Amino acid sequence: MNSLRFEALNSLVKNNAQNEPFVSDSEAQFAQNVFNDLALQRSLNQQAYDEISKAIFKGSKISRALADQIAAAMKSWARAKGATHYTHWFQPLTGATAEKHESFFDLSDNATAIERFDGSQLVQQDPDASSFPSGGIRNTFEARGYSAWDPTSPAFIYGKTLCIPTIFVSYTGEALDYKTPLLRSSSALDKAATDVAKYFDKNTQKVYATLGWEQEYFLIDRSLAASRPDLILTGRTLMGHESSKGQQLNDHYFGSIPKRALAFMQELEYQSLMLGIPVKTRHNEVAPAQFELAPIFEEVNLSVDHNALLLDIMSKIAERHNFMVLLHEKPFTGINGSGKHNNWSLKTNTGVNLLSPGKTPMNNLQFLTFFINTIVAVLNHESLLRASIVSASNELRLGTDEAPLPIISVFIGEQLTAVLNNLEQVSEGKLSPQEKTDLKLNVIGKIPEILLDNTDQNRTSPFAFTGNKFEFRAVGSKTNCAKPMTVLNSIVAEQLITFKKKVDQHLKNPKMKKDDAIFNELRDSIKYIRTILFEGDGYSEAWIKQAKKRGLSPTTSTPDALQAYVAPKSISMFHTLDVFSKRELEARVQVDLEQYTHTLQIEGRTLGDIARNHIIPTAIQYQNTLIDNVKGLKEIYGATYKTHAKEQMVLIERISGHIAQINTGVNDMIEARKKANTIEDTAAKANAYHAQVKVYFDSIRYHCDKLELLVDNSIWPLAKYRELLFSR
Ligand code: ADP
Ligand code: MG
């Protein structure tokens, strides 16, 4: 039998001899292919450099003359490094990155070859955007989209192409990508947080969000994966019996990295460093064949770009090592899926982490202010925050095998809970000198010590405070970080604006001191946030009941969860902050709903196809062998053959039973799909796919997996879990 599965298994042995050519020398390599601040400084005159630095800091417009200068500098830098093409690089709502390469080469008026790349090519391109999802924003009569240079994220060279990070908007200025709203949210957050930070330090001029993501992924042999249409088409296994050995022994986590995987990682790190992605940590994850990579945190826009870039180059590099990278949130059932923890904090232009306690009580009051207001924001918009991370694939991960539940709650740890309890006792109005001293010395004065060991061992909390940052753990491995970060930035901005208004209101009373006013507001907030604070076992029945009682909204349906984007309070918040217009929000929900439906449609078709064209024929083939065997036994033994063929007869019957069940399941699923496909309304259609189509996946799979255990291993066409997960 020359199936792809066996060919792959045979070649695995040969594959193992991988060398390790990519040795990292971080200092020499870092950002070699990035046109960063240093490169700008080297190639521009002082005046131009000052002008661009100021524009980046303030987010102000760049003149055409300056753009021309920068374009010229960028081009000579890129040409000297061997680049032949340039592209605007952007992040459309497909979830992948997009690029359209243009050669530097052009023809002059008299048809001689020249090189052309000036300010206008740098600043704007108009890629034909009609094939990118827009959720109805772009009418067909105006298919043009514009990509416009984002000077806050430096250009880089990948391969032989100069890539210029850009936003992507419609002819009418509406966002068609993830970067545009992220930049808008950063600017709203900057303004709101700077105003509040000024209570504590008048010199604060700018606040920006920092993001450090932790990317989980699976690495499996490419040739083995080729035997699985489900992996190729959907990025996950739609069937496959669990391996006898899974992650029970915990022997993979932090274990020594397999040699072949290490060679891949070394090349990935080498390329990442060259591109300025400050990768730092790598290790085996909990599930077999699962790994994690984490960089040093950066300003959120840059960090989002770096993650999108990483996902792109990961798959390309994996190919060279005959691996397939699985970025799907739940490629295998029964073992952990992959998430992407988003570590988020706030940093000032003076270098202060606002979620890190300082040395003085005032610093710690600042810490408490940002800490508590963030939690208030999460409570105000818990379902919106969830909407930013749900998808067909993350739906399979959330709430299973250690992943957080799709109910947003906040973990802060025992000690900080105690601090909040004490603060809640503060009396209303102006504090007495005794009360103040007590508070400063015994409550907030102790924060830095207690935070030293504030880690959350209960990894199932979706949103946890971990010492000097919040860690949003419900984010899926494939998700573009801009989605959750845009929401988080916005809700915190909104809350900080509200907070400042209230504090300023208190301060109208001339007797009220600033710290008293802040204490008063924080005390009220502490009472409020009790609803979202949860430290216990997220998986217990009791929590799910309690969460409902608290008014939190558990839902396991992505189409349902997405509606939070267009709830009146979300629309109003995003509008006030200038992050999304109502039309943009509706468009995004459309795109996500369509993506959900299409994903389930493809999965359903693929599942039906494999079940009917791979599994059933294989089962029949084996059943025929059994039938021949029974016939042979009858020939030998005559009337008493049944005593010898008992097991075989049982097997024959069981195989028939499973085949019948698979057929019924596939037929019913096809009917359900046909019905769902007639629905016009996007939300109703996605709901039908969730409630009426998806339900067949498990039962069809169940019978296929049973057959996997019955049928002769040597004719089974699909690589098995044990082979995908444990082949080295
Ligand atoms: P863990 O136990 O989750 O691995 P680490 O301390 O190693 O915790 O940090 C994990 C991630 O948190 C890293 O990607 C790191 O860059 C990021 N991180 C650390 N400090 C901050 C911060 N102030 N803002 C944003 N991310 C941060
Ligand atoms: Mg983490």
Side-chain angles (χ1 to χ4, degrees), residues 375-376 378-382 407-411 420 424 524-535 543 546-553:
I375 302 174
V376 173
V378 173
L379 173 55
N380 286 341
H381 293 283
E382 43 96 26
I407 308 173
I408 304 295
S409 62
V410 180
F411 174 98
L420 296 191
E424 204 181 348
D524 288 352
S525 297
I526 291 168
K527 292 194 203 321
Y528 175 67
I529 59 177
R530 298 280 178 201
T531 305
I532 195 110
L533 296 179
F534 176 65
E535 311 279 309
W543 166 235
Q546 204 191 98
K548 279 187 195 153
K549 247 193 182 155
R550 291 187 185 190
L552 302 175
S553 54

Side-chain angles (χ1 to χ4, degrees), residues 253-363:
Y253 191 51
F254 280 18
S256 86
I257 298 173
K259 200 166 154 228
R260 233 181 112 194
L262 188 62
F264 158 79
M265 288 180 191
Q266 281 167 333
E267 182 174 356
L268 177 62
E269 283 162 16
Y270 170 84
Q271 301 287 3
S272 298
L273 288 172
M274 295 289 281
L275 289 165
I277 308 172
V279 289
K280 186 159 170 70
T281 315
R282 61 171 171 219
H283 62 78
N284 291 359
E285 256 305 322
V286 173
Q290 191 189 27
F291 304 93
E292 179 183 300
L293 180 145
I296 297 166
F297 67 90
E298 299 174 283
E299 185 277 322
V300 63
N301 180 37
L302 193 55
S303 185
V304 164
D305 280 2
H306 280 162
N307 184 252
L309 182 57
L310 180 94
L311 297 190
D312 185 34
I313 67 170
M314 253 176 138
S315 302
K316 290 177 181 154
I317 293 169
E319 233 170 278
R320 285 206 282 276
H321 294 255
N322 201 29
F323 274 130
M324 185 175 179
V325 171
L326 303 182
L327 293 167
H328 192 285
E329 280 83 358
K330 196 75 181 174
F332 303 97
T333 35
I335 54 174
N336 284 10
S338 298
K340 174 156 54 201
H341 294 176
N342 276 204
N343 295 272
W344 176 92
S345 190
L346 293 167
K347 197 168 171 180
T348 67
N349 65 302
T350 55
V352 173
N353 177 355
L354 293 170
L355 287 173
S356 181
K359 291 202 173 70
T360 65
M362 205 55 187
N363 282 154

Side-chain angles (χ1 to χ4, degrees), residues 172-297:
T172 42
E174 275 129 341
L176 295 175
D177 68 348
Y178 291 121
K179 189 195 269 277
T180 307
L182 176 69
L183 291 175
R184 294 176 187 158
S185 76
S186 293
S187 141
L189 178 67
D190 174 17
K191 178 152 190 344
T194 302
D195 282 352
V196 172
K198 278 191 166 140
Y199 284 140
F200 306 96
D201 180 0
K202 288 245 171 322
N203 295 320
T204 310
Q205 287 177 331
K206 193 178 169 78
V207 173
Y208 55 91
T210 50
L211 166 65
W213 38 264
E214 302 166 57
Q215 181 68 51
E216 291 181 336
Y217 62 95
F218 280 84
L219 207 51
I220 58 170
D221 183 80
R222 193 170 195 82
S223 312
L224 274 175
S227 74
R228 307 231 17 164
D230 49 357
L231 280 175
I232 304 287
L233 297 180
T234 72
R236 74 166 173 118
T237 57
L238 294 166
M239 59 181 68
H241 199 279
E242 269 178 45
S243 165
S244 321
K245 181 181 170 188
Q247 61 191 40
Q248 307 94 320
L249 300 177
N250 272 324
D251 51 355
H252 185 65
Y253 191 51
F254 280 18
S256 86
I257 298 173
K259 200 166 154 228
R260 233 181 112 194
L262 188 62
F264 158 79
M265 288 180 191
Q266 281 167 333
E267 182 174 356
L268 177 62
E269 283 162 16
Y270 170 84
Q271 301 287 3
S272 298
L273 288 172
M274 295 289 281
L275 289 165
I277 308 172
V279 289
K280 186 159 170 70
T281 315
R282 61 171 171 219
H283 62 78
N284 291 359
E285 256 305 322
V286 173
Q290 191 189 27
F291 304 93
E292 179 183 300
L293 180 145
I296 297 166
F297 67 90

